[in-house]
Amino acid sequence: MNQDRQAVLYGLGAVALWSTVATAFKVALTWMSPLELMWLAALVSWVFMFVLVVKQGHLTAALRHGWRTAAWAGLMNPVAYYLVLFAAYDRLPGQEAMALNYTWALAMALLAVPILGQRLTRIDIIAGLIAYAGVWVIATRGNVFNVDFADPLGVVFALLSTLLWALYWLLNARDERAPLIAQWQNFSVGLPVLTALLIFGPGFNWHGWPALGAGVYVGLFEMGVAFVLWQLAVRKVSRTAKVSNLIFLSPPISLLLLYIVVGEPLLASTFVGLILILLGLALQQLQSKTKQEAY
């Protein structure tokens, strides 16, 4: 099996796991608050990454270097990003929160202008307009001329999560830490903060074994295994576009699982909005691919 085929298989594994997380979020949040879910998932993910860091012989390096960056990066991811994302899933149907969260790549292109001094191309602007037209369709549930949102705060949380995620990656553009070490260090900073928020907030509550299983699943697979599989895919592939396009497989699978497992009725507005968002992302991907081939 050649490197590219291995990379595609790793990428498909990551996408398959990411396709389940919208359902896992909604199931877990039926028992737990966003803060409780975040704490449990972060703990599981931290243990998983710690085992990998030790197994790969990187613990000494991880303990010595990189903590200055981790001090602020850990507050953004996992603390701020996931708390806001889980708050969005707690208030919105999973299909809406999932679709709105897919605009993070477009948010990154917009934020790169003031942060990295990059320029928006005509394609960037068109892609943004198309994708955020999809956001409007989803937020208004098809009543595009009606500004009376069903849950405006949920929509704000979902869009804020995209800004936090995009901002996190832009500010980490020059991060020289290895990805696995960076993730473990960030969670090492974030976990004590989440623990303190939980202690001085709602406290630790037992919600039963199903809730524990759902939280462990989110931490192990959404934040742990999927991350490792995606890193392997990106590292092995000859051209990033060969695996980056796989992410477009995730939304339809996510919608199907939300319908089957959670029982969410699939709204026509979600389909229309998601198609517009994916069309905007596809234009952006096509532009990136054209630039790479030009070089």
Side-chain angles (χ1 to χ4, degrees), residues 104-114 118-120 124 166 170 284:
W104 70 266
L106 293 155
M108 183 181 291
L110 296 175
L111 289 174
V113 176
Q118 297 180 2
R119 294 183 178 181
L120 286 177
D124 287 327
L170 287 173
Q284 194 180 55

Side-chain angles (χ1 to χ4, degrees), residues 102-185:
Y102 263 82
T103 61
W104 70 266
L106 293 155
M108 183 181 291
L110 296 175
L111 289 174
V113 176
I115 294 174
L116 300 181
Q118 297 180 2
R119 294 183 178 181
L120 286 177
T121 66
R122 184 178 300 176
I123 295 297
D124 287 327
I125 296 172
I126 294 173
L129 290 174
I130 293 173
Y132 283 108
V135 170
W136 185 258
V137 171
I138 292 171
T140 60
R141 297 189 177 179
N143 297 314
V144 294
F145 299 108
N146 183 6
V147 294
D148 185 19
F149 300 146
D151 193 324
L153 187 56
V155 173
V156 169
F157 281 145
L159 294 178
L160 181 58
S161 74
T162 70
L163 293 177
L164 287 170
W165 191 243
L167 189 61
Y168 169 78
W169 286 110
L170 287 173
L171 294 177
N172 278 274
R174 296 180 179 85
D175 189 353
E176 297 179 354
R177 298 177 297 166
L180 179 61
I181 291 176
Q183 282 288 94
W184 178 73
Q185 288 179 335

Side-chain angles (χ1 to χ4, degrees), residues 178-202:
L180 179 61
I181 291 176
Q183 282 288 94
W184 178 73
Q185 288 179 335
N186 291 352
F187 274 72
S188 297
V189 170
L191 187 57
V193 174
L194 292 168
T195 303
L197 290 174
L198 199 60
I199 290 174
F200 294 105

